Amino acid sequence: MTERQRALGVHRVLEPAGVLPQAAWRLDTSPDLHPDEVRISVQRLNLDAASFRQLSEEHGGDGDAVRAAVAGIVATRGKMHNPVTGSGGMLIGVVDAVGDDSPLGLEVGQPVATLVSLTLTPLELTDGLARWDGRSEQVPTAGHAVLFARSLAAVLPEDLPQETALALLDVCGAPAATERVVASSGRRPSVAVLGAAGKSGCLSLAAARDARAGHLMGVVRTEQEAAALRAAGLADDVVVADATDPLAVAEAVGRPVDVTVVCVDAAGAEHGAVLATADGGTVVFFSMATSFSAAALGAEGMAADVTMLIGNGYTPGHAALALDLYRTTPGVRALIDPRVHRS
Amino acid sequence: MTERQRALGVHRVLEPAGVLPQAAWRLDTSPDLHPDEVRISVQRLNLDAASFRQLSEEHGGDGDAVRAAVAGIVATRGKMHNPVTGSGGMLIGVVDAVGDDSPLGLEVGQPVATLVSLTLTPLELTDGLARWDGRSEQVPTAGHAVLFARSLAAVLPEDLPQETALALLDVCGAPAATERVVASSGRRPSVAVLGAAGKSGCLSLAAARDARAGHLMGVVRTEQEAAALRAAGLADDVVVADATDPLAVAEAVGRPVDVTVVCVDAAGAEHGAVLATADGGTVVFFSMATSFSAAALGAEGMAADVTMLIGNGYTPGHAALALDLYRTTPGVRALIDPRVHRS
């Protein structure tokens, strides 16, 4: 075991041997720490939207069945890693123990959110999810989790409720990547965000504005979402289209844009995003429901000269950017607060 | 039906209604053409490597079973669209009929290769694949296929054998995208190609050199491939590692590179590619076996600040570039010719 391997958590992989924790079927959740690890006392999970949606649909919206499914996944795999969607989520808790060699700079007692996926975080729950009704992505619970040397965690800000911070940090990769793509385009690109009324969507709109985007369009699924997004004032135009209907998206967007950001959590948004994007433009896929082959072959099949990015959940400064956008943008708060309080 | 929808082939979708041909379960293969379509008399299919590999493995290498599976897919779906891998391949044939309004500039009698995926190309076979042994990606056959207004096809060059041209055009997206990424980096980036001894891999190495890359590394799976790649002289360094073993890839590559190009056709290469890439660098995924969520969550989980591109099969000029690299680079010919002649 090299130091690099340990930093990535390879020593916690039980099967199959020799892979990284995210690729593993099962992780070792032992509370005994290696010197470069940190143990978190878990308070709440925030399930990835695509994963929660899949579980809800699989169990016909039966909260008890969804709860049993999540508890079963964690017990079986030693991590919350939905085997169907391949996604997980994140968690918040309190720092419980810090190994002498941990480079994360955390201190015992600090409230933190993990910024690495639950799909690679050793997790053991002790309450059988008894306080969760299985009907929302935010899961109050108890247990412990382990961070590796190369994991990421953010100390929770004192000025925001925990649930709000968690909701923001969960999707902070999207606005950070959007800002980078817009800022690096060397002009003021037009931007369309699919799923613009959701958490990552509205933050991405705000980030695009912050990065001096040109015309900003929000694409949402319902008139109700459109009304909320218009009231929030984050986009120059708001249109309604089913993101999984490529032709409807293309019609709604009209003249193709320079940058399309996909923040919907449903499968099948790839072709609409490509059709909405001008030749030479960029699509940033942030939905975990994105199909690699549908995107690659769809763009080829439409002879679309677009750059397609796999949304990387990590961009330096991503946590601070999302929190700042929330603090400084009333429209973002107006859209996100009801989602947080509902759960 | 709008003109735009027809140009994309929506009128050929039988089920589910209203989606684009690539997303469809079943296409209409009628030989009667709409005015903007072109009909091709098919001579040969070139199956996507990931698809052929999956079918071979599913059927334990039994050529007859693989042949029956491919014939069954085409008969059922009206296109060669592997339902497991989501990928297809391409075909060559002769232009059989050209609608009056076709914008593709083709003429009856021209030998052509389609540059859009078989996953969206209406295809009907008439010979039951009787001349194919089910043991290679190149499938001699007969039947007809249909091109839409927004499809792409290349007239086959007279100076190259058909099989060679098909093999090159099948993977021409990879070198074109590699050239663009390297050329647009604004410096001479170091480049590693995973699967460097394969068709798309060796062309990507040549394209990177052509675009003035810095240090070029080829990563291959076996010593035999390493010897062939060293003899071809396309890379400054050749190392052996299993691309699906992230830690082995990281060890073999050593100091992370600026650009990593993934050309292996096996699943599980995402994490090795991310680990091989320096912060601020770029990974171009050209393998159809790439998992979107494994790439996105893996990069996040390793706190890797890398840009990840979904390899777009279409970049303007891609066909001409691949053919030219083959013509002008002895090392490319040395690696590709045996693969073509073997089949």
Side-chain angles (χ1 to χ4, degrees):
Chain A
M1 181 77 53
T2 65
E3 188 177 344
R4 181 173 193 173
Q5 290 173 333
R6 188 181 301 287
L8 293 165
V10 174
H11 57 289
R12 290 276 184 175
V13 173
L14 292 179
E15 58 176 301
V19 303
L20 290 165
Q22 204 260 327
W25 174 250
R26 195 159 64 91
L27 298 181
D28 173 5
T29 62
S30 164
D32 300 331
L33 297 187
H34 290 272
D36 63 353
E37 292 181 331
V38 169
R39 189 172 64 237
I40 308 291
S41 176
V42 178
Q43 296 174 326
R44 182 180 289 268
L45 311 180
N46 193 22
L47 302 182
D48 164 72
S51 172
F52 177 71
R53 182 195 180 105
Q54 184 273 325
L55 288 163
S56 275
E57 290 179 355
E58 179 181 338
H59 297 286
D62 177 346
D64 290 339
V66 172
R67 182 174 57 214
V70 171
I73 290 170
V74 175
T76 304
R77 306 194 65 172
K79 57 178 178 175
M80 180 51 211
H81 187 165
N82 183 324
V84 176
T85 61
S87 58
M90 53 184 299
L91 62 83
I92 59 175
V94 173
V95 177
D96 188 33
V98 178
D100 290 340
D101 298 337
S102 169
L104 298 182
L106 298 174
E107 295 170 19
V108 171
Q110 283 180 323
V112 293
T114 59
L115 298 180
V116 291
S117 171
L118 289 178
T119 60
L120 52 92
T121 303
L123 174 66
E124 188 170 327
L125 302 178
T126 53
D127 68 343
L129 299 176
R131 289 179 290 138
W132 181 47
D133 64 5
R135 296 181 184 280
S136 93
E137 296 160 20
Q138 297 217 7
V139 183
T141 185
H144 74 267
V146 176
L147 298 180
F148 312 126
R150 207 165 157 174
S151 298
L152 283 174
V155 177
L156 289 169
E158 295 183 0
D159 62 326
L160 299 177
Q162 270 196 357
E163 292 81 356
T164 302
L166 185 56
L168 293 168
L169 294 172
D170 178 40
V171 297
C172 67
T178 300
E179 180 180 64
R180 181 182 280 191
V181 168
V182 169
S184 67
S185 75
R187 47 179 175 161
R188 297 185 72 126
S190 56
V191 176
V193 176
L194 308 188
K199 287 189 301 179
S200 59
C202 73
L203 283 165
S204 295
L205 277 175
R209 179 82 80 201
D210 196 48
R212 298 173 52 77
H215 190 267
L216 275 178
M217 178 175 287
V219 183
V220 296
R221 190 182 172 90
T222 66
E223 287 295 345
Q224 189 182 352
E225 286 186 324
L229 184 56
R230 285 191 189 104
L234 297 174
D236 300 310
D237 264 323
V238 176
V239 296
V240 176
D242 176 355
T244 67
D245 181 340
L247 301 169
V249 171
E251 292 294 322
V253 171
R255 183 177 168 179
V257 298
D258 300 314
V259 177
T260 301
V261 183
V262 181
C263 292
V264 294
D265 62 359
E270 301 86 358
H271 294 179
V274 168
L275 276 180
T277 308
D279 271 3
T282 300
V283 183
V284 190
F285 287 103
F286 259 99
S287 165
M288 277 301 146
T290 302
S291 157
F292 182 90
S293 59
L297 296 177
E300 179 192 279
M302 296 182 277
D305 178 22
V306 295
T307 297
M308 296 183 287
L309 298 179
I310 297 174
N312 182 346
Y314 174 65
T315 300
H318 61 340
L321 174 69
L323 297 171
D324 281 351
L325 288 171
Y326 176 85
R327 291 185 182 106
T328 59
T329 317
V332 168
R333 292 200 297 277
L335 287 167
I336 287 185
D337 284 350
R339 290 179 171 265
V340 172
H341 297 142
R342 197 175 56 201
S343 63
Chain B
M1 181 75 54
T2 65
E3 189 178 344
R4 181 172 192 172
Q5 291 173 333
R6 188 180 301 285
L8 293 165
V10 174
H11 57 288
R12 290 275 184 175
V13 173
L14 292 178
E15 58 176 303
V19 304
L20 290 165
Q22 204 261 327
W25 174 250
R26 194 158 65 91
L27 298 181
D28 173 4
T29 62
S30 164
D32 300 330
L33 297 187
H34 290 272
D36 63 353
E37 293 181 330
V38 169
R39 189 172 65 237
I40 307 290
S41 177
V42 178
Q43 296 174 324
R44 182 181 289 267
L45 311 180
N46 193 23
L47 301 182
D48 164 74
S51 173
F52 177 71
R53 183 195 179 105
Q54 184 274 324
L55 288 163
S56 276
E57 291 180 354
E58 180 180 339
H59 297 287
D62 177 345
D64 290 339
V66 172
R67 182 175 55 211
V70 170
I73 290 170
V74 175
T76 303
R77 305 194 66 173
K79 57 178 178 174
M80 180 52 211
H81 187 166
N82 183 325
V84 176
T85 61
S87 57
M90 54 183 300
L91 62 83
I92 57 174
V94 173
V95 177
D96 187 33
V98 178
D100 290 341
D101 298 339
S102 169
L104 300 182
L106 297 174
E107 295 171 21
V108 171
Q110 284 180 321
V112 294
T114 59
L115 298 180
V116 291
S117 170
L118 288 178
T119 61
L120 53 91
T121 303
L123 174 65
E124 189 171 326
L125 302 179
T126 53
D127 69 341
L129 299 176
R131 288 179 290 139
W132 182 46
D133 64 5
R135 296 181 184 279
S136 93
E137 297 160 18
Q138 297 217 5
V139 183
T141 184
H144 74 267
V146 176
L147 299 180
F148 312 127
R150 207 165 156 174
S151 299
L152 284 174
V155 177
L156 289 168
E158 295 182 0
D159 63 325
L160 299 177
Q162 271 196 357
E163 291 81 357
T164 303
L166 185 56
L168 294 168
L169 295 172
D170 178 41
V171 297
C172 66
T178 301
E179 179 179 65
R180 182 183 278 189
V181 168
V182 169
S184 67
S185 75
R187 47 178 175 162
R188 297 184 73 125
S190 56
V191 176
V193 176
L194 308 187
K199 288 189 300 178
S200 59
C202 72
L203 283 165
S204 295
L205 277 175
R209 179 81 80 201
D210 196 48
R212 297 173 53 79
H215 189 266
L216 275 179
M217 177 175 287
V219 183
V220 296
R221 190 182 171 89
T222 65
E223 287 295 345
Q224 188 183 353
E225 286 186 323
L229 185 56
R230 286 191 188 103
L234 297 174
D236 300 311
D237 263 324
V238 176
V239 296
V240 176
D242 176 355
T244 68
D245 181 341
L247 301 168
V249 171
E251 292 296 320
V253 171
R255 183 177 169 180
V257 297
D258 300 314
V259 176
T260 301
V261 183
V262 181
C263 292
V264 295
D265 62 358
E270 301 87 357
H271 293 180
V274 168
L275 277 180
T277 308
D279 272 3
T282 300
V283 183
V284 190
F285 287 103
F286 258 99
S287 165
M288 277 301 145
T290 302
S291 158
F292 182 91
S293 59
L297 296 177
E300 179 191 279
M302 296 183 276
D305 178 21
V306 295
T307 298
M308 296 182 287
L309 298 180
I310 297 174
N312 182 345
Y314 175 65
T315 301
H318 60 342
L321 174 68
L323 296 172
D324 281 350
L325 288 171
Y326 176 84
R327 291 186 182 107
T328 60
T329 317
V332 168
R333 290 201 297 277
L335 288 166
I336 287 185
D337 284 349
R339 291 181 170 264
V340 172
H341 297 142
R342 199 174 57 203
S343 62

